[in-house]
Protein backbone atom coordinates (compact mmCIF):
# COMPACT_ATOMS: atom_id res chain seq x y z
CA UNK A 1 0.00 0.00 0.00
CA UNK A 2 2.71 2.51 0.81
CA UNK A 3 3.58 4.74 3.74
CA UNK A 4 1.02 7.03 5.31
CA UNK A 5 1.48 9.84 7.78
CA UNK A 6 -1.58 10.46 9.93
CA UNK A 7 -1.98 13.85 11.57
CA UNK A 8 -4.59 15.08 14.00
CA UNK A 9 -7.18 17.37 12.44
CA UNK A 10 -10.76 18.57 12.69
CA UNK A 11 -13.63 16.11 12.89
CA UNK A 12 -16.81 16.36 10.84
CA UNK A 13 -19.86 14.97 12.61
CA UNK A 14 -22.44 13.99 9.98
CA UNK A 15 -24.83 12.33 12.42
CA UNK A 16 -27.11 15.40 12.89
CA UNK A 17 -27.12 16.10 9.15
CA UNK A 18 -27.96 12.63 7.83
CA UNK A 19 -30.43 11.77 10.58
CA UNK A 20 -33.84 10.75 9.20
CA UNK A 21 -36.37 12.60 11.35
CA UNK A 22 -39.34 10.64 9.98
CA UNK A 23 -38.27 7.34 11.53
CA UNK A 24 -35.61 8.62 13.98
CA UNK A 25 -32.85 6.51 12.44
CA UNK A 26 -29.37 7.33 11.29
CA UNK A 27 -29.77 7.41 7.52
CA UNK A 28 -26.19 6.81 6.32
CA UNK A 29 -25.22 4.28 3.69
CA UNK A 30 -21.46 3.95 4.26
CA UNK A 31 -21.08 1.93 1.05
CA UNK A 32 -22.23 4.90 -1.03
CA UNK A 33 -20.58 7.90 0.67
CA UNK A 34 -19.24 10.71 -1.55
CA UNK A 35 -16.48 12.91 -0.15
CA UNK A 36 -14.76 15.74 -2.02
CA UNK A 37 -12.55 18.62 -0.88
CA UNK A 38 -11.42 22.00 -2.17
CA UNK A 39 -8.24 24.02 -1.71
CA UNK A 40 -10.11 26.55 0.47
CA UNK A 41 -10.82 23.92 3.17
CA UNK A 42 -14.38 23.03 2.19
CA UNK A 43 -15.53 19.41 2.36
CA UNK A 44 -18.53 18.08 0.44
CA UNK A 45 -20.19 14.99 1.86
CA UNK A 46 -22.99 13.29 -0.03
CA UNK A 47 -25.05 10.30 1.02
CA UNK A 48 -28.20 8.87 -0.53
CA UNK A 49 -30.29 11.98 -1.35
CA UNK A 50 -28.44 14.51 0.83
CA UNK A 51 -25.50 16.87 0.37
CA UNK A 52 -23.64 18.84 3.04
CA UNK A 53 -20.72 21.27 2.80
CA UNK A 54 -18.45 21.88 5.78
CA UNK A 55 -15.67 24.38 6.40
CA UNK A 56 -12.70 22.71 8.02
CA UNK A 57 -10.09 24.99 9.52
CA UNK A 58 -6.83 23.57 10.74
CA UNK A 59 -6.69 25.48 13.99
CA UNK A 60 -5.76 23.92 17.31
CA UNK A 61 -8.79 25.59 18.92
CA UNK A 62 -11.31 24.21 16.40
CA UNK A 63 -12.02 20.51 16.64
CA UNK A 64 -15.26 20.22 14.66
CA UNK A 65 -15.90 21.34 11.08
CA UNK A 66 -18.51 24.08 10.64
CA UNK A 67 -21.62 23.20 8.62
CA UNK A 68 -22.03 25.75 5.81
CA UNK A 69 -24.84 24.31 3.72
CA UNK A 70 -27.05 21.26 3.31
CA UNK A 71 -29.85 20.13 1.00
CA UNK A 72 -31.97 17.16 0.00
CA UNK A 73 -32.07 16.08 -3.63
CA UNK A 74 -34.84 14.59 -5.80
CA UNK A 75 -33.08 11.21 -6.01
CA UNK A 76 -30.17 9.17 -4.70
CA UNK A 77 -26.62 10.16 -5.56
CA UNK A 78 -24.46 8.24 -7.99
CA UNK A 79 -21.61 10.75 -7.72
CA UNK A 80 -20.94 14.15 -6.14
CA UNK A 81 -17.89 16.41 -6.43
CA UNK A 82 -16.80 19.83 -5.20
CA UNK A 83 -14.71 22.06 -7.48
CA UNK A 84 -11.12 22.81 -6.53
CA UNK A 85 -11.94 26.41 -5.62
CA UNK A 86 -14.97 25.36 -3.56
CA UNK A 87 -17.39 27.46 -5.65
CA UNK A 88 -19.27 24.75 -7.57
CA UNK A 89 -20.87 21.37 -6.90
CA UNK A 90 -21.68 18.78 -9.52
CA UNK A 91 -23.73 15.65 -8.86
CA UNK A 92 -25.40 12.82 -10.74
CA UNK A 93 -28.58 11.16 -9.51
CA UNK A 94 -29.74 7.62 -10.11
CA UNK A 95 -31.59 7.37 -13.42
CA UNK A 96 -30.18 10.59 -14.89
CA UNK A 97 -28.92 10.25 -18.42
CA UNK A 98 -30.53 6.87 -19.00
CA UNK A 99 -32.27 6.22 -22.30
CA UNK A 100 -35.54 5.46 -20.47
CA UNK A 101 -36.04 9.09 -19.32
Amino acid sequence: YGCYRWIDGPVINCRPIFFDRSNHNLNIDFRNMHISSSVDNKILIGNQNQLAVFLVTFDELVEIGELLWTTRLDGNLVSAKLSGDGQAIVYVLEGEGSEND
Side-chain angles (χ1 to χ4, degrees):
Y1 285 104
C3 296
Y4 295 95
R5 180 172 179 253
W6 296 97
I7 58 173
D8 291 338
V11 173
I12 297 175
N13 182 6
C14 295
R15 190 173 301 265
I17 306 306
F18 297 117
F19 187 81
D20 188 351
R21 296 185 199 307
S22 63
N23 61 11
H24 304 290
N25 288 327
L26 186 61
N27 192 24
I28 296 179
D29 178 4
F30 292 103
R31 296 166 296 168
N32 195 21
M33 182 73 68
H34 305 276
I35 301 172
S36 184
S37 63
S38 68
V39 296
D40 63 346
N41 299 328
K42 291 185 182 112
I43 305 287
L44 169 74
I45 299 179
N47 187 265
Q48 295 182 11
N49 69 335
Q50 293 178 273
L51 290 174
V53 177
F54 294 86
L55 178 62
V56 179
T57 55
F58 295 93
D59 184 348
E60 291 180 10
L61 301 175
V62 177
E63 294 182 1
I64 298 178
E66 174 188 358
L67 176 64
L68 297 178
W69 176 84
T70 185
T71 191
R72 288 189 181 262
L73 305 169
D74 292 333
N76 286 336
L77 288 166
V78 172
S79 181
K81 300 292 180 196
L82 182 64
S83 65
D85 64 2
Q87 299 298 311
I89 296 171
V90 63
Y91 60 86
V92 178
L93 300 178
E94 287 179 354
E96 283 189 349
S98 68
E99 295 179 15
N100 298 329
D101 288 346

